[in-house]
Amino acid sequence: GEDVEQSLFLSVREGDSSVINCTYTDSSSTYLYWYKQEPGAGLQLLTYIFSNMDMKQDQRLTVLLNKKDKHLSLRIADTQTGDSAIYFCAERTDKLIFGTGTRLQVFP
Amino acid sequence: DVKVTQSSRYLVKRTGEKVFLECVQDMDHENMFWYRQDPGLGLRLIYFSYDVKMKEKGDIPEGYSVSREKKERFSLILESASTNQTSMYLCASSLGRTSGGRGQYFGPGTRLTVT
């Protein structure tokens, strides 16, 4: 069945890079997404990658897709305290399937 | 700017009460969704709608119903609230089925507590 998995927590020092990982099971995914949820707020679409791409870069964000291993990652360069949030990956087949979310904590 | 609004940020209801959660989007989106978010479980889809007066069950529809009488409004109804429905409820909308990379736009959420 469809399943999207993420580790629950990640803690990084301010200025370092963060890498949030995600694995999914459905090889028919067309798009894969990264959403950010700040405390007390809804989800905000950060970036997405089409399934025939390997990499997408958008300012401090780099998305890597390994379709063979069904592995998606989000790298945040020069992580700031404002990046502290929960990050969800999601895959799209006929609907969106969300992962459990990774809570990123940035400490000074 | 894209806007999805939900009628309440916080709601406290008693067991057995009928609860209405309202969601409105101003982007003329065809698709609307209701999720619930629980720690360690991520987002789980309750119901969704691809058009006015249409509704489809998601992964966890039991105990819920929905109504979509107008394109911009999607309501989630708890006919008889129970304590296991205490959760954060998120509404989302998106363009048509081929919206692809644009993804879904989310409201701020309603934190419902059933006592």
Side-chain angles (χ1 to χ4, degrees), chain A residues 2 8 31 33 35 37 39-45 48 86 88 92 94-101, chain B residues 9 35 37 40-43 45 50 59 90 96-109:
Chain A
E2 303 153 327
L8 291 180
Y31 287 89
Y33 304 86
Y35 283 84
Q37 184 182 34
L43 276 68
Q44 171 195 359
L45 179 63
Y48 66 93
I86 302 175
F88 291 90
R92 179 187 170 128
D94 59 339
K95 58 183 179 181
L96 270 188
I97 308 294
F98 286 87
T100 53
Chain B
R9 293 299 304 272
Y35 296 88
Q37 181 183 8
L41 296 176
L43 272 71
L45 182 63
Y50 285 138
D59 300 316
L90 293 166
R97 297 190 190 214
T98 57
S99 59
R102 298 190 190 100
Q104 293 181 5
Y105 294 88
F106 282 81

Side-chain angles (χ1 to χ4, degrees), chain A residues 3-96:
Chain A
D3 200 13
V4 180
E5 294 190 356
Q6 304 177 236
S7 54
L8 291 180
F9 298 101
L10 177 66
S11 186
V12 299
R13 190 180 297 278
E14 192 174 15
D16 286 353
S17 292
S18 309
V19 179
I20 303 171
N21 294 302
C22 172
T23 57
Y24 61 98
T25 55
D26 195 330
S27 57
S28 65
S29 298
T30 52
Y31 287 89
L32 295 117
Y33 304 86
W34 283 104
Y35 283 84
K36 176 183 181 183
Q37 184 182 34
E38 296 182 353
L43 276 68
Q44 171 195 359
L45 179 63
L46 268 184
T47 187
Y48 66 93
I49 188 166
F50 189 48
S51 58
N52 68 354
M53 297 169 65
D54 298 324
M55 186 182 89
K56 180 178 180 181
Q57 187 150 4
D58 184 2
Q59 299 182 328
R60 291 191 297 124
L61 305 179
T62 303
V63 179
L64 294 177
L65 175 60
N66 181 329
K67 206 171 177 186
K68 175 175 164 289
D69 294 338
K70 299 190 185 72
H71 183 266
L72 181 73
S73 68
L74 174 69
R75 179 177 179 271
I76 305 172
D78 186 25
T79 311
Q80 302 298 306
T81 54
D83 295 324
S84 294
I86 302 175
Y87 291 81
F88 291 90
C89 67
E91 63 166 343
R92 179 187 170 128
T93 53
D94 59 339
K95 58 183 179 181
L96 270 188

Side-chain angles (χ1 to χ4, degrees), chain B residues 71-82:
Chain B
K71 190 176 186 179
E72 67 270 19
R73 189 178 297 268
F74 193 35
S75 303
L76 180 69
I77 303 152
L78 287 66
E79 293 290 340
S80 178
S82 63

